[in-house]
Amino acid sequence: MDKYIDLHIHSNFSDDAQYSPEELVKKCKEAGIRIMAIADHNSAKANKRAKIAAESLGIKYIPAIEMNGVFNGRILHILGYGIDYESPDFHEFEEGLKAQQPEASRVRLELTIALGFNITAEELGDVAWTGERFGEVLLAKEEYMDNELLKPYRPGGDRSNNPLVNFYWDFYSQGKPCFVDVDYLPAKEVIEIIHKNGGIAVLAHPGQNLGDNAEVLEELQSLGLDGVEAFTSYHDLSMSRLWYEKAKSLNMTITCGSDYHGKFKPNIKLGESGCWINLKEIEQKINF
């Protein structure tokens, strides 16, 4: 099947991604992507540069963002497509979260040390101290080559397919030992910001955050959610089918995206979302 749409790509405006917007556009061109969206974590800053670069190479660009919001105590990732990316609302949202990061990073460091690791602020450097960054530093330390906690993320381990992001999910995501709570807006308010700025709100990789609890989609739809990313590198065939069929039954928009991050998710390729439906169905719904 032609894989010409990728609506979930991260640039280095995300804390855990590698490439600049311009580099990603070039890579999309090389990969045969004809419709793309850069949806950075809680930031809309890549969109202007990406749009200019995409237009120069004949790629249709859809402005996007991936925003964190809380629903029933769970942190969800909500994609906004077709947004007015120059709106001050997105700048304010991003700056509000950035202001919390120094303290959150300090606590993550303390919790990581409590796991038994010897790691310092100097080793982490000036970049954001995400779970992926902790994993990158720890996996490179000679003294931990045989550490039992790190073995699953080394070549041949059962979490080695995307070791850095898997390290984040296993230790720093919600409910894990190094998780640090950040003051995110309720999902309803995130959806309202997206709508206010001309976009549609789509639930990202629902199987990763909600498992097979697709029934919750009706409540999210009542809050204004427009669609579901049924096809994503996080879903296997059965999970994508579950969320696709539930979204379809509610007449919601369905999207696909690789969630490409470069070196932080080395097994994920541009355009690889596991989508098994005719992409025209998706293209018609996101025709901004």
Side-chain angles (χ1 to χ4, degrees):
M1 183 181 290
D2 189 7
K3 302 170 183 176
Y4 67 89
I5 299 178
D6 196 333
L7 301 177
H8 194 158
I9 304 168
H10 287 273
S11 81
N12 55 11
F13 281 99
S14 291
D15 291 336
D16 56 356
Q18 181 178 5
Y19 295 109
S20 71
E22 293 83 1
E23 289 173 317
L24 288 173
V25 171
K26 183 179 179 182
K27 285 181 175 294
C28 281
K29 183 70 174 179
E30 293 168 350
I33 304 296
R34 302 196 295 274
I35 303 174
M36 66 175 289
I38 292 178
D40 281 317
H41 295 298
N42 303 307
S43 175
K45 289 179 179 174
N47 285 290
K48 183 174 183 178
R49 288 167 52 182
K51 188 172 187 291
I52 293 169
E55 287 174 351
S56 73
L57 293 181
I59 295 174
K60 180 174 181 177
Y61 185 79
I62 297 174
I65 189 171
E66 183 178 19
M67 304 171 75
N68 288 12
V70 179
F71 170 75
N72 289 347
R74 295 290 303 172
I75 298 172
L76 301 182
H77 294 192
I78 300 170
L79 297 155
Y81 291 115
I83 58 169
D84 174 9
Y85 54 84
E86 294 185 319
S87 167
D89 289 340
F90 297 114
H91 176 75
E92 181 180 341
F93 184 86
E94 180 179 6
E95 292 303 307
L97 292 178
K98 279 186 175 179
Q100 301 180 60
Q101 285 309 313
E103 176 61 14
S105 292
R106 184 190 67 77
V107 177
R108 283 189 201 104
L109 177 57
E110 290 181 353
L111 292 171
T112 304
I113 292 170
L115 288 177
F117 291 115
N118 177 29
I119 186 169
T120 67
E122 289 71 27
E123 288 173 310
L124 291 163
D126 293 332
V127 298
W129 297 356
T130 62
E132 293 87 347
R133 178 58 181 160
F134 281 101
E136 187 175 31
V137 172
L138 291 171
L139 286 166
K141 288 171 77 77
E142 192 71 29
E143 65 193 280
Y144 296 133
M145 287 302 163
D146 295 318
N147 183 277
E148 290 298 322
L149 284 179
L150 298 179
K151 277 186 178 179
Y153 310 95
R154 299 201 183 280
D158 61 8
R159 298 291 281 162
S160 63
N161 60 331
N162 288 302
L164 299 182
V165 74
N166 284 339
F167 189 76
Y168 156 75
W169 284 112
D170 294 344
F171 288 97
Y172 297 85
S173 63
Q174 192 173 20
K176 303 301 182 179
C178 297
F179 172 72
V180 177
D181 198 16
V182 173
D183 188 19
Y184 294 117
L185 292 178
K188 184 176 188 297
E189 293 184 30
V190 169
I191 293 168
E192 288 170 352
I193 291 171
I194 291 168
H195 287 169
K196 175 187 173 185
N197 291 286
I200 65 169
V202 173
L203 181 63
H205 44 67
Q208 180 65 34
N209 298 103
L210 296 169
D212 60 1
N213 186 23
E215 296 307 312
V216 77
L217 205 49
E218 294 178 39
E219 187 176 351
L220 285 166
Q221 187 180 41
S222 75
L223 300 181
L225 188 75
D226 302 292
V228 176
E229 185 184 54
F231 304 106
T232 164
S233 57
Y234 282 110
H235 290 181
D236 59 17
L237 178 60
S238 62
M239 190 65 76
S240 65
R241 189 177 298 280
L242 171 71
W243 287 95
Y244 170 77
E245 291 178 351
K246 184 61 179 179
K248 193 80 170 172
S249 73
L250 296 173
N251 196 31
M252 300 180 80
T253 296
I254 293 158
T255 68
C256 62
S258 64
D259 205 359
Y260 181 78
H261 283 66
K263 70 177 182 179
F264 293 95
K265 294 185 179 181
N267 273 22
I268 296 175
K269 310 301 180 187
L270 287 165
E272 299 286 344
S273 65
C275 185
W276 40 262
I277 65 171
N278 189 327
L279 288 175
K280 290 292 181 184
E281 181 177 333
I282 292 175
E283 186 177 354
Q284 289 166 1
K285 290 285 190 177
I286 47 88
N287 189 26
F288 292 99

